[in-house]
Amino acid sequence: MSASKSVSPEAVETSTQRMLLQFEIEQFLYREARLLDERCFDEWLTLLSDDIHYWMPIRRTVTRDNIDLEFTKPGGMSYFDDNKTDLVLRIEKLATGFSWAEDPPSRTRHFVSNVEITALAGDEVTVNVAFHLYRSRLESLTDHFVGRREDTLRRVEGALRLCRRHIFCDHTIVRATNLSVLF
């Protein structure tokens, strides 16, 4: 019979805390997905920190020796490079009825998985998240956006807030008629 390994109380506490944090993050991301799918955009905005950076670079097909050029860099061309003011304006425009790209509104389903904590620093935690965003529009238009996100969450007054979302799509060509949905 082999001897069982001894686990220190500190390791158990750290492990338990990490599991609780993982669960809290996953619940935050599931709630966020539900709010977006239910078009509860004002409530979604409350999940964002005031200094949010919401960015989606353009992906290019490059050779192996130029792989560092596969995604555009911050400050360069991108599909989104938004702060909270930009996101608030996007939400307000949806509410006006003059957003032709979303009238009638898209039907979406956000799937998030493979949530992996990649960094902990003070009140912030960075997670790598796989996503699949399905959008149905009008009678027969459908779009699929698949990729990964690097999300940074910050604890503000005890609650998690999204302070950075970097969205990396797996595809290089966006075949959708518009990018009016939120990731």
Side-chain angles (χ1 to χ4, degrees):
M1 186 184 300
S2 63
S4 62
K5 289 187 177 181
S6 156
V7 179
S8 71
E10 295 82 18
V12 171
E13 182 178 338
T14 302
S15 176
T16 302
Q17 289 173 342
R18 183 118 176 160
M19 286 188 326
L20 290 172
L21 179 61
Q22 176 81 23
F23 179 77
E24 183 181 15
I25 291 166
E26 289 172 356
Q27 292 303 302
F28 176 92
L29 295 173
Y30 299 155
R31 177 172 178 242
E32 180 201 15
R34 179 182 55 78
L35 291 175
L36 290 172
D37 292 339
E38 294 176 356
R39 300 183 199 109
C40 298
F41 300 122
D42 289 333
E43 192 174 346
W44 176 76
L45 286 170
T46 67
L47 301 179
L48 311 181
S49 69
D50 290 338
D51 62 341
I52 178 106
H53 184 230
Y54 186 92
W55 178 66
M56 185 169 138
I58 296 170
R59 185 176 204 155
R60 301 174 282 222
T61 301
V62 296
T63 57
R64 252 184 233 287
D65 57 337
N66 289 314
I67 203 74
D68 60 319
L69 300 175
E70 185 174 18
F71 290 99
T72 56
K73 306 296 182 219
M77 290 183 60
S78 61
Y79 293 112
F80 303 115
D81 192 0
D82 296 345
N83 60 27
K84 187 150 187 188
T85 301
D86 298 326
L87 293 168
V88 167
L89 289 173
R90 286 176 64 187
I91 298 303
E92 286 175 351
K93 183 178 179 183
L94 291 174
T96 66
F98 293 107
S99 179
W100 63 269
E102 283 299 315
D103 193 17
S106 294
R107 296 168 296 273
T108 63
R109 188 66 52 208
H110 290 73
F111 298 94
V112 293
S113 68
N114 301 27
V115 178
E116 178 187 14
I117 296 172
T118 57
L120 289 166
D123 289 341
E124 293 187 354
V125 58
T126 301
V127 294
N128 216 355
V129 179
F131 73 86
H132 179 179
L133 169 53
Y134 168 81
R135 174 173 73 168
S136 172
R137 193 153 152 59
L138 302 172
E139 295 301 320
S140 61
L141 297 176
T142 59
D143 298 303
H144 294 269
F145 303 96
V146 178
R148 71 178 179 87
R149 297 189 323 227
E150 291 176 5
D151 289 350
T152 301
L153 305 171
R154 180 184 307 131
R155 195 165 300 283
V156 178
E157 297 177 6
L160 292 177
R161 296 287 178 256
L162 180 65
C163 61
R164 187 181 80 130
R165 171 157 292 159
H166 290 183
I167 307 153
F168 301 91
C169 284
D170 287 344
H171 42 80
T172 56
I173 298 172
V174 175
R175 298 188 187 277
T177 56
N178 60 53
L179 274 176
S180 56
V181 292
L182 294 160
F183 288 79

